Amino acid sequence: MSSSHSLPEPLAADLQVYVKQSAALLGLALPDEVFPQVVENFERVAIMAQPVLDFELPDTVEPAAIFEP
Amino acid sequence: MSLPADASAIAAAVHQGKTTATAVIQDALQDIAQRDRSLNCFTSTVAERALKRAQQIDQARQAGQPLGPLAGVPFAVKNLFDIAGEVTLAGSKINRDGPSAPQDATAIVRLEQVGAILVGALNMDEYAYGFVTVNHHYGATPNPHAPARIAGGSSGGSAAAVAANLVPLTLGSDTNGSIRVPAGLCGIYGLKPTYGRLSRAGVALFSASLDHVGPLARSVRDIAVSFDAMQGADTRDPVCTQRPPAATLSSLEGGLDGLRIGLLADYFEQGLQPEAASALDQITTALPISQKVTLPETSRARAAAYLITASEGSQLHLRRLQTRLMEFDPATRDRFVAGALIPQSWYLQAQRLRRWFQAQVKAVFEQVDILIAPTTPCIAPFIDQETMMIEGQSVLMRPHLGLYTQPLSFIGLPVLSVPVTQSDTLPVGVQIIAAPYQEVQILRVARWLERQNIVAPHPYTP
């Protein structure tokens, strides 16, 4: 199960910086008591994202989002 | 008074004059007032409106006017459906400050057009982000069959209210399993139709490209009647299909003739706990399974569904996260914030994987018509349970409940979770899956299983 995996150590440390800076960019003020759980949750997302990102797709595969004018 | 077995039986009694809609609604409201104190399914009731509607139906019958197939049937909706004049909570505290809804959600309008009567709104996980219905603001909705355990979610109030016989029919929404998971854990039927099949107009969204609405009920017939009533194009929902409605009720007794049935293997066998495995066995023993089917890259598909959900859900709530962060339910808050930080490239890759996965599964449906899979890996966990052991590993319980539902809603397939008849165990469901827009095939299989007494609502003893 993916939740038992972890990111490589340098990347895990960088996540704190990423969360802090990208949250600031989005206008999200994260109190100290919330910050660690957000990092933990984002790490979980990052782990889950790896196999999705690793999967090679042909250029012809379009995103599935729906918009019909 | 306890209500007749299902919605269709109530409607039949009203049609035949054995009871009146007013009597049915009065009893239902009284029952809710008494028993919901411990069941905690309802967050509000709309007594005045319901009694008025009931009176209209009784007057129509007296005047000899035709009544709809759900005449006098009380129903309730997850509290993310708009109810005219009420504030749509979507399980949150923040939304209490918003305006009241100007009109009913389309799904409510269509059920009332065939005689059903809305009696109230039901508890859910905040903004539908959860599989448990343990809500910081409105409390947990316990499993009616085992109050120390969860009802499942996020449509937990919708499932528990039907399981405990408070109402025979409810509506829920399903993004990654939020109808099927609680239906399975509460021992009732829950239909997640094809993506876009039923209008979501007037329903608070969670993740627009994955959100569906659907009915939960105590019989296959009730699922069919309510599904048929809610079908049809709707300009208020940009993804609602333009296809003409395809009625299912008249084909319910079609049996299994001509249906090729496969069992989903590999990914869908991993982590299955004994109670869920034996429920699946019962179904696969009864049905003529012609082959085992493997869907490619299912694990990646599930992860992609998660990325889309988290990205879209977090973006939808971004303004509230910026301004009212500490008023969110702590159980959703940190996940919403984390989701807001997902790089767009991850999101788009997930949406492209979705297109790829859809094509792979489409090819599978050239070989089979129906697929079978478990709904959840286990029976309902305890309310305060955080982890569970799966094949020797400790995993987070809450997200794990969507293991088998998430890859299927990812590509919008229609799925019905059916309650499998098992004695001496808590309820657990099995998913019956078909190709897009083939709900009728699913309902035929479910009706066939129901006739053999292999599926039935889990008996409720208060």
Side-chain angles (χ1 to χ4, degrees), chain B residues 6-7 73-78 81 111 122-123 151-163 167-174 177-193 198 212-220 222-224 226-227 230 416-417:
Chain B
D6 67 357
V73 172
F75 77 102
V77 296
K78 188 176 184 175
F81 284 79
L111 285 182
L122 300 158
N123 200 18
S154 61
S155 311
S158 305
V162 170
V167 281
L169 174 67
T170 60
L171 296 181
S173 66
D174 189 316
S178 283
I179 287 173
R180 293 161 288 159
V181 168
L185 298 183
C186 288
I188 58 159
Y189 299 90
L191 175 68
K192 184 206 80 62
L198 297 183
H212 310 65
V213 300
L216 299 94
R218 301 183 64 81
S219 71
V220 178
D222 287 358
I223 292 284
S226 54
F227 172 65
M230 289 187 284
L416 177 72
S417 178

Side-chain angles (χ1 to χ4, degrees), chain B residues 5 145 162-163 186-189 217-219 419-421 450 455-460:
Chain B
H145 305 297
V162 170
C186 288
I188 58 159
Y189 299 90
R218 301 183 64 81
S219 71
V420 182
T421 314
E450 185 181 47
V455 301
H458 194 81
Y460 175 65

Side-chain angles (χ1 to χ4, degrees), chain B residues 65-389:
Chain B
Q65 292 164 8
L67 300 181
L70 292 175
V73 172
F75 77 102
V77 296
K78 188 176 184 175
N79 71 29
L80 48 59
F81 284 79
D82 282 352
I83 300 173
E86 306 279 317
V87 172
T88 307
L89 296 174
S92 75
K93 175 185 161 193
I94 294 170
N95 283 30
R96 279 185 218 159
D97 300 339
S100 46
Q103 59 185 318
D104 289 337
T106 295
I108 294 176
V109 171
R110 290 187 177 166
L111 285 182
E112 291 208 325
Q113 279 169 348
V114 296
I117 298 174
L118 179 73
V119 296
L122 300 158
N123 200 18
M124 57 182 281
D125 290 296
E126 187 181 60
Y127 295 126
Y129 205 174
F131 283 130
V132 289
T133 314
V134 179
N135 186 301
H136 182 70
H137 316 298
Y138 305 101
T141 295
N143 192 303
H145 305 297
R149 295 174 183 266
I150 61 164
S154 61
S155 311
S158 305
V162 170
N165 284 316
L166 287 175
V167 281
L169 174 67
T170 60
L171 296 181
S173 66
D174 189 316
T175 306
N176 288 299
S178 283
I179 287 173
R180 293 161 288 159
V181 168
L185 298 183
C186 288
I188 58 159
Y189 299 90
L191 175 68
K192 184 206 80 62
T194 308
Y195 179 73
R197 177 68 113 169
L198 297 183
S199 169
R200 309 163 310 170
V203 177
L205 295 172
F206 169 26
S207 172
S209 64
L210 298 171
D211 289 336
H212 310 65
V213 300
L216 299 94
R218 301 183 64 81
S219 71
V220 178
R221 184 185 174 86
D222 287 358
I223 292 284
V225 172
S226 54
F227 172 65
D228 287 356
M230 289 187 284
Q231 287 190 59
D234 185 1
T235 51
R236 289 176 64 212
D237 178 353
V239 307
C240 189
T241 184
Q242 297 294 313
R243 285 169 179 245
T248 60
L249 185 64
S250 54
S251 306
L252 268 196
E253 306 296 341
L256 306 179
D257 285 355
L259 294 179
R260 301 161 298 170
I261 305 177
L263 172 65
L264 282 177
D266 296 322
Y267 174 96
F268 291 91
E269 297 168 314
Q270 289 163 19
L272 200 57
Q273 302 299 287
E275 297 91 344
S278 70
L280 185 64
D281 273 351
Q282 255 178 268
I283 298 293
T284 54
T285 305
L287 291 174
I289 304 282
S290 60
Q291 57 186 298
K292 279 195 165 193
V293 175
T294 297
L295 304 183
E297 306 295 348
T298 312
S299 183
R300 287 186 220 264
R302 180 183 177 224
Y306 185 87
L307 292 175
I308 292 170
T309 306
S311 301
E312 292 184 357
S314 301
Q315 203 287 324
L316 182 65
H317 295 297
L318 186 59
R319 177 64 67 190
R320 286 174 281 275
L321 293 167
Q322 287 165 334
T323 57
R324 305 184 69 169
L325 183 68
M326 300 313 280
E327 295 171 73
F328 276 73
D329 184 333
T332 68
R333 179 191 62 209
D334 307 332
R335 286 182 293 147
F336 272 128
V337 174
L341 311 182
I342 291 174
Q344 53 85 14
S345 189
W346 298 9
Y347 172 78
L348 287 172
Q349 173 77 1
Q351 285 284 21
R352 290 179 63 218
L353 184 71
R354 188 181 184 202
R355 182 79 70 193
W356 179 88
F357 189 61
Q358 176 201 33
Q360 307 301 308
V361 177
K362 197 175 177 186
V364 166
F365 280 112
E366 286 166 16
Q367 309 300 320
V368 294
D369 302 294
I370 291 286
L371 291 167
I372 302 293
T375 302
T376 56
C378 55
I379 56 169
F382 290 101
I383 287 173
D384 56 2
Q385 191 175 330
E386 288 190 2
T387 58
M388 57 194 289
M389 293 302 287

